[in-house]
Amino acid sequence: MFKISKLLLLNLILFPFIALSQSVDVTLRGKVIEKDSGEPLEYATLVLKSISEPTQITGGITDMNGVFEVSVPKGSYRASIEYIGFKEFLIPQTVFNTSVDLGTIALEISADQLDEIELVAEKTTVEVRLDKKVYNVGKDLTNSGATVSDALGNIPSVTVDVDGAIALRGNGNVRILINGRPSALAGFGGADALRQLPADAIEKVEVITSPSARYDAEGTAGILNIVLKKEKTRGFNGVFNASVGAPSLAGLSANVNLRKKAYNLFSTLGYRYSNPPGNGFFDNRFSSGDYDRIIEDRDIQRSNSGFNLNLGMEYFLTESSSIVGSVFARSNVGDDVTISDTERFISQVLDSKTIREEDEGEEEINYQFSLNYNNNFNDEGHKLTADLQYSFKDEAQPTNIIENNSFPNNNLIAEEIIDETEIQDEYLLQVDYVLPMGEAQFEAGYRGNWELSETSFRLDELNLETLAFEQNLGLTNEFLFDQYVNAFYTQYGNKFDKFSFLIGLRLENTRLKGQVEGVDVASLQEVLGQGIDLNFDKSYLGLFPTLNLIYELGENENITLGYNRRINRPRGYFINPFPSRASRTNVFQGNPSLDPAFANAYDIGYLKRWDKLTLTSSFYYQKETGSFERVQEATGQQTIDGIAIIRSIPINLSTNERSGAELGVLYNPEKWLRLNGSVNLFQFNTQGAFNGIDYSAKNTSWFSRFSSKVTLPANIDWQTNANYRGRTENAQTVNKGIFSIDLAFSKDILNDNGTLALNARDLLNSRKRRQFTNTPFFTSENEFQWRERQITLSFVYRVNQKKQRERAERNYDSEDYGG
């Protein structure tokens, strides 16, 4: 273990251009690869010990392509290549009087160090790069049997609320990417798909709070890039996972890979069934209307059955170029039954009770075809990549709603049949070019992203007099929404001694096009107001500059600075003008007049590493103009039984300023104990008015998480994750704080080829949204729980992927210049 720690320290302190003296006149070059797979080894170390002065040691480390280039004085050296977990390679040559290319050096795995490698690999789980932080989630025990959505909730800076909505630093406008690209795996603008995909497929999550120009400018909060596992070891290997749980949950997944010299076949296959019960309680008090108080108690029963397949092949055209083709398919069948028991009061006296049953089905099919070309012109990182992707979604949501009086009379109030379908096509074309220039690097590229969607909505209502269903022509409709984004970017990065920078510029054109068909447009226009254009075609052209800096204060200490301009484009759901039917009295209605919001974001970060402790911190500020805000207002309409109808609608407010600070600590005091904690304190200040009402608000809030992993006797691992989200509020609504705990135990069996894991998500059953809303016409106090406590038992079996052979995570300050 001492040898490995010493080698790790050497890796951290050596840089590619360190000389023994002032006279530098020979250069050593070469490339280091893994013997079994032929893959380049990043951060392998070239060690040069002076034969005449053995205490003088210099050298360098390899880059992401396994290449090193070191300048040293002429002389005699004992030269070797070292890498954690691999046998030391001694270079035969000892006298270096001229520059020399040492060629390709292949390292062999050292079997006697494997057990110690695993401990080093778990020592820390964060990398800091010029434009992002990278978190390894593969060793989080609570992810066993969980979903991608669950795994994201364990990432610092990220929160996932009870509805599955994802936020970064408290801001919900975050862009989700899969392997650096928009993908059907992440859903089309929503988070529902992430609830169906297994967390076992994730290798790491990149939290990109200051994206470089290479990335899409979408997402004012930043970007979460989910990187999926991809095994590169030669031969056949795979990971198989089976899980069962209570409430009803069952899942099977297989991630298999066949790597040959000329090609690489990979496949992920998964099935998941879940039946997570939920509940809700709403206490509404009104200042107008027939009732002064309405209490609603909801019981929610869901069932979801999902299947996903990702199949692909990488074919190596030459030693430096390859083409990858893949297909992804996902199907999901769900049925959500919500029973609402409602009590209505007049002057605090119970006047009536109703029972409303809503049975909402879901049949969804997603598939995606991808083609990627990659050409590495040389070993220094000169490359060209091109991506072509097509995604398709077809979703149907048939819904039946029945509402009956239960007191003082038993009679039918309303019955509705809703047929809603959505078809969505998405095309992606992306080309990236990278040109290294010594320490510098130049990049340029293009991305075209085109989304076409068609939403059809039909409402049939029961005529209580004729007992026949009649089509509601005022709400039956078809809404066509297209979004076209074309972008060009260029960026340049360089390093001078301890200073690195990456500067870029992105030009994006966004076109939003909407059209309403099959409805009484005049009636709808009257409801929405004459200022809202139902058929629109808008175009926006913008420049999005980015700047990222790193200054190394010491060997294990640096400061980062980032600036970028971002855009928040309204999705189809926010623009669709037709009111939802989830409730007769509380409806959501899109706003076709929404324009994109723009934000300028600044970020200052600090990182410091000690032997057993890693500290990360940052301060950030963002100012967004035209920011989206949901507001609730009275429609002036009532249901047939005299209940006021309230509408929630998104609007463009004038400004939203957000500032905050976050602190993260990783501490490994002993081999058997790992501690990980973070806290984020932020404030937002919103200014704006709508329909004569001032919606300005100022709020300070915070969220934190703590994780501990303990190795118990018999090599049983025990992990505890605790999360707290502080109180937040805007002009109308206060969200109360939420505290929750996840617990997990795991044990390796079958000669470390298998792992048994038991975990409990939301152990205290406390992950509930509790809100209080206050408007001029009503107040509402409510509580909602999307999923109750979940207990899961899972079994993982690895074929040719022993746990000890997982490579150690490298935790250096990467100097790559891309995303």
Side-chain angles (χ1 to χ4, degrees):
M1 187 64 190
F2 174 76
K3 181 179 179 181
I4 292 178
S5 299
K6 182 178 179 181
L7 179 55
L8 180 58
L9 179 61
L10 186 60
N11 265 334
L12 288 170
I13 66 176
L14 291 179
F15 292 90
F17 300 95
I18 299 178
L20 285 171
S21 65
Q22 298 297 321
S23 59
V24 176
D25 51 10
V26 297
T27 301
L28 309 184
R29 300 181 182 86
K31 182 176 182 179
V32 182
I33 64 172
E34 181 181 346
K35 184 176 181 180
D36 290 341
S37 66
E39 294 298 318
L41 292 176
E42 184 181 6
Y43 298 113
T45 306
L46 169 65
V47 181
L48 296 167
K49 294 183 181 180
S50 173
I51 293 178
S52 60
E53 296 289 341
T55 59
Q56 293 187 8
I57 304 175
T58 187
I61 57 176
T62 58
D63 61 16
M64 61 187 300
N65 298 305
V67 176
F68 64 85
E69 183 173 338
V70 179
S71 297
V72 296
K74 296 178 182 179
S76 299
Y77 301 93
R78 180 188 183 276
S80 63
I81 301 292
E82 300 182 18
Y83 190 85
I84 296 175
F86 287 76
K87 295 179 181 179
E88 178 185 13
F89 182 90
L90 186 62
I91 297 173
Q93 184 174 343
T94 57
V95 179
F96 298 92
N97 291 325
T98 59
S99 297
V100 61
D101 188 341
L102 297 173
T104 299
I105 299 169
L107 298 188
E108 296 183 48
I109 293 177
S110 176
D112 59 353
Q113 294 182 5
L114 290 178
D115 292 335
E116 293 177 332
I117 294 168
E118 184 181 356
L119 298 176
V120 175
E122 294 185 354
K123 194 169 185 178
T124 179
T125 58
V126 60
E127 296 179 60
V128 176
R129 302 191 177 184
L130 265 172
D131 57 350
K132 59 194 169 189
K133 291 185 177 73
V134 183
Y135 294 94
N136 172 34
V137 300
K139 294 185 179 296
D140 193 327
L141 303 185
T142 58
N143 288 336
S144 184
T147 68
V148 169
S149 182
D150 297 327
L152 291 178
N154 292 328
I155 301 297
S157 304
V158 180
T159 55
V160 181
D161 69 13
V162 295
D163 298 307
I166 299 167
L168 181 58
R169 291 174 168 175
N171 187 345
N173 183 229
V174 56
R175 179 73 156 163
I176 307 294
L177 302 178
I178 303 290
N179 294 331
R181 303 173 185 87
S183 172
L185 279 74
F188 287 82
D192 290 342
L194 300 180
R195 292 173 172 169
Q196 304 300 322
L197 299 176
D200 307 311
I202 302 177
E203 178 181 345
K204 58 187 176 182
V205 175
E206 298 176 345
V207 179
I208 310 172
T209 53
S210 184
S212 66
R214 172 185 290 186
Y215 292 102
D216 185 359
E218 170 73 21
T220 56
I223 295 171
L224 292 178
N225 182 30
I226 301 169
V227 180
L228 303 181
K229 293 177 181 176
K230 184 179 178 183
E231 180 60 35
K232 297 181 179 180
T233 305
R234 286 279 182 91
F236 175 80
N237 52 79
V239 177
F240 302 87
N241 192 328
S243 57
V244 294
S248 299
L249 180 147
L252 291 170
S253 67
N255 190 332
V256 296
N257 191 91
L258 178 63
R259 173 69 183 269
K260 296 293 185 181
K261 183 177 180 180
Y263 63 87
N264 184 25
L265 290 173
F266 55 90
S267 175
T268 300
L269 179 66
Y271 171 80
R272 181 180 177 87
Y273 170 81
S274 63
N275 187 6
N279 58 79
F281 178 81
F282 303 82
D283 188 352
N284 303 320
R285 300 175 186 266
F286 300 87
S287 58
S288 61
D290 293 348
Y291 302 100
D292 50 52
R293 187 181 185 187
I294 298 177
I295 297 176
E296 181 182 351
D297 195 356
R298 291 184 188 176
D299 178 73
I300 307 169
Q301 295 293 327
R302 302 183 182 88
S303 66
N304 286 283
S305 178
F307 172 85
N308 65 83
L309 168 68
N310 186 31
L311 179 64
M313 176 179 178
E314 180 177 11
Y315 182 76
F316 303 99
L317 301 172
T318 66
E319 291 185 358
S320 61
S321 64
S322 67
I323 186 168
V324 182
S326 65
V327 57
F328 167 78
R330 183 176 74 89
S331 67
N332 185 69
V333 177
D335 186 42
D336 293 0
V337 178
T338 302
I339 298 177
S340 301
D341 192 346
T342 303
E343 298 178 339
R344 300 177 175 85
F345 296 84
I346 300 177
S347 300
Q348 299 183 356
V349 176
L350 179 65
D351 177 77
S352 61
K353 294 177 65 176
T354 62
I355 296 179
R356 182 178 191 267
E357 180 175 335
E358 178 182 347
D359 188 347
E360 179 182 354
E362 180 184 24
E363 298 177 5
E364 182 180 354
I365 296 176
N366 283 321
Y367 57 80
Q368 175 179 290
F369 300 96
S370 302
L371 192 64
N372 166 265
Y373 171 75
N374 183 72
N375 191 345
N376 295 301
F377 298 106
N378 56 36
D379 294 332
E380 282 71 43
H382 185 199
K383 63 180 178 180
L384 172 70
T385 61
D387 298 276
L388 182 63
Q389 184 173 287
Y390 168 70
S391 304
F392 173 80
K393 169 187 173 181
D394 187 352
E395 180 180 13
Q397 289 184 310
T399 304
N400 294 329
I401 300 174
I402 299 177
E403 190 160 1
N404 291 279
N405 269 322
S406 60
F407 174 81
N409 303 312
N410 292 309
N411 62 286
L412 180 66
I413 297 177
E415 185 171 353
E416 299 177 351
I417 298 176
I418 299 172
D419 186 12
E420 185 174 5
T421 61
E422 182 180 11
I423 298 176
Q424 203 162 6
D425 297 272
E426 182 172 351
Y427 303 85
L428 172 70
L429 173 61
Q430 181 172 332
V431 179
D432 298 290
Y433 175 73
V434 180
L435 176 64
M437 298 179 292
E439 284 286 333
Q441 184 165 291
F442 168 80
E443 294 185 48
Y446 162 80
R447 174 184 283 186
N449 203 181
W450 310 286
E451 300 178 25
L452 315 174
S453 64
E454 178 182 335
T455 303
S456 299
F457 182 91
R458 172 170 176 156
L459 172 64
D460 292 326
E461 298 174 308
L462 182 67
N463 187 317
L464 297 178
E465 295 182 357
T466 65
L467 297 181
F469 282 96
E470 298 175 354
Q471 185 176 348
N472 186 325
L473 298 178
L475 290 179
T476 297
N477 69 88
E478 186 173 359
F479 180 60
L480 307 179
F481 176 65
D482 301 335
Q483 176 179 280
Y484 309 91
V485 180
N486 291 280
F488 294 90
Y489 80 91
T490 182
Q491 61 185 21
Y492 174 79
N494 207 339
K495 179 179 181 180
F496 303 97
D497 192 21
K498 297 183 177 181
F499 176 74
S500 303
F501 74 89
L502 177 62
I503 185 170
L505 184 64
R506 189 177 185 91
L507 174 68
E508 284 196 354
N509 176 257
T510 300
R511 182 185 178 191
L512 304 178
K513 184 179 179 181
Q515 183 177 349
V516 174
E517 296 181 351
V519 70
D520 185 348
V521 176
S523 300
L524 182 61
Q525 192 77 67
E526 183 179 349
V527 173
L528 292 175
Q530 295 301 316
I532 294 180
D533 187 4
L534 297 181
N535 298 317
F536 56 89
D537 190 347
K538 310 175 190 177
S539 183
Y540 309 86
L541 182 66
L543 285 173
F544 300 89
T546 63
L547 175 64
N548 290 284
L549 310 172
I550 285 184
Y551 182 74
E552 299 170 4
L553 298 173
E555 297 172 354
N556 300 302
E557 186 179 16
N558 65 52
I559 293 177
T560 60
L561 173 66
Y563 162 76
N564 62 97
R565 185 171 187 253
R566 312 291 296 164
I567 184 174
N568 182 10
R569 305 183 188 96
R571 308 296 300 181
Y573 176 66
F574 266 36
I575 290 182
N576 192 330
F578 299 97
S580 68
R581 302 297 291 179
S583 169
R584 290 194 304 133
T585 58
N586 292 275
V587 300
F588 175 84
Q589 192 164 23
N591 180 3
S593 291
L594 271 184
D595 292 318
F598 296 89
N600 290 287
Y602 306 85
D603 189 288
I604 299 176
Y606 172 75
L607 174 129
K608 173 69 174 177
R609 289 193 180 93
W610 293 270
D611 183 33
K612 298 181 179 181
L613 179 69
T614 299
L615 172 71
T616 60
S617 62
S618 65
F619 299 89
Y620 55 91
Y621 171 79
Q622 180 186 91
K623 185 172 183 179
E624 184 177 358
T625 57
S627 58
F628 303 161
E629 184 77 22
R630 289 194 192 190
V631 298
Q632 291 181 306
E633 60 179 11
T635 63
Q637 300 175 330
Q638 292 185 343
T639 63
I640 58 175
D641 46 347
I643 305 174
I645 299 176
I646 299 167
R647 177 177 70 173
S648 175
I649 186 171
I651 61 172
N652 288 111
L653 282 181
S654 56
T655 62
N656 185 351
E657 292 184 90
R658 185 180 297 267
S659 58
E662 58 183 349
L663 175 69
V665 176
L666 296 96
Y667 182 47
N668 307 104
E670 303 292 342
K671 292 190 293 185
W672 52 268
L673 176 63
R674 290 196 303 149
L675 304 175
N676 183 350
S678 66
V679 60
N680 193 308
L681 176 68
F682 62 93
Q683 180 184 85
F684 62 83
N685 186 2
T686 301
Q687 299 289 332
F690 180 69
N691 285 347
I693 299 177
D694 186 6
Y695 289 98
S696 300
K698 187 175 183 179
N699 177 239
T700 300
S701 186
W702 64 287
F703 61 88
S704 64
R705 56 172 44 83
F706 173 78
S707 176
S708 67
K709 185 176 179 183
V710 180
T711 301
L712 302 173
N715 288 324
I716 297 175
D717 288 329
W718 166 25
Q719 182 169 322
T720 303
N721 290 350
N723 293 270
Y724 179 76
R725 293 181 59 195
R727 177 181 182 272
T728 63
E729 64 176 294
N730 57 27
Q732 291 185 321
T733 301
V734 174
N735 293 278
K736 299 180 180 179
I738 301 175
F739 175 75
S740 62
I741 291 180
D742 300 332
L743 197 65
F745 296 89
S746 77
K747 166 68 176 174
D748 290 336
I749 58 176
L750 303 177
N751 195 28
D752 289 338
N753 287 313
T755 301
L756 275 176
L758 175 67
N759 74 63
R761 302 197 64 84
D762 193 14
L763 182 67
L764 305 179
N765 206 37
S766 57
R767 196 168 287 153
K768 302 177 182 180
R769 183 190 67 207
R770 295 175 296 160
Q771 292 181 328
F772 177 75
T773 299
N774 186 17
T775 74
F777 47 90
F778 87 105
T779 63
S780 175
E781 188 168 0
N782 62 73
E783 179 178 287
F784 178 77
Q785 185 175 25
W786 186 85
R787 179 182 64 184
E788 297 177 6
R789 175 177 46 234
Q790 181 74 55
I791 310 294
T792 305
L793 176 66
S794 63
F795 171 66
V796 178
Y797 186 76
R798 293 172 287 273
V799 177
N800 295 330
Q801 282 191 12
K802 282 194 175 183
K803 188 174 182 180
Q804 292 93 328
R805 291 200 55 169
E806 295 175 0
R807 285 190 191 168
E809 283 292 312
R810 300 293 165 186
N811 300 292
Y812 306 93
D813 306 326
S814 175
E815 293 150 12
D816 64 354
Y817 299 109

